Amino acid sequence: MNSPAPIGHNNPPTTPYEMHEHAISSLYDEAVHWLDGEPIDSEATAEGVATLMREIRKAGKAADTARKEEKAPHATAVKEIDTRWKAVTTLAT
């Protein structure tokens, strides 16, 4: 006898967009905590801010890479369509 499927078993997998959006939103929320107006008055605080900045930059680059990967097939298709139609539209002009 099969047991019932657990709650949430039919949820779709997380998309790359959702994964990057969550990671960057979490880093953003963390950065907001550092923007409390308090000066950076210790080496530990400076290192914490520097680490957070590195993580934000790294997450941004990863998200941009994922965006380009997702967009690439569509960009290629658009170029192919434009090339195909160019001869027709050129005749019209």
Side-chain angles (χ1 to χ4, degrees), residues 39-52:
I40 297 174
D41 57 2
S42 71
E43 187 65 33
T45 302
E47 184 55 39
V49 170
T51 298
L52 181 59

Side-chain angles (χ1 to χ4, degrees), residues 50-72:
T51 298
L52 181 59
M53 288 174 59
R54 281 191 300 273
E55 290 299 314
I56 290 170
R57 288 183 184 120
K58 186 168 81 173
K61 286 180 183 179
D64 196 45
T65 298
R67 177 190 64 81
K68 289 175 184 176
E69 288 172 0
E70 182 177 347
K71 181 177 108 169

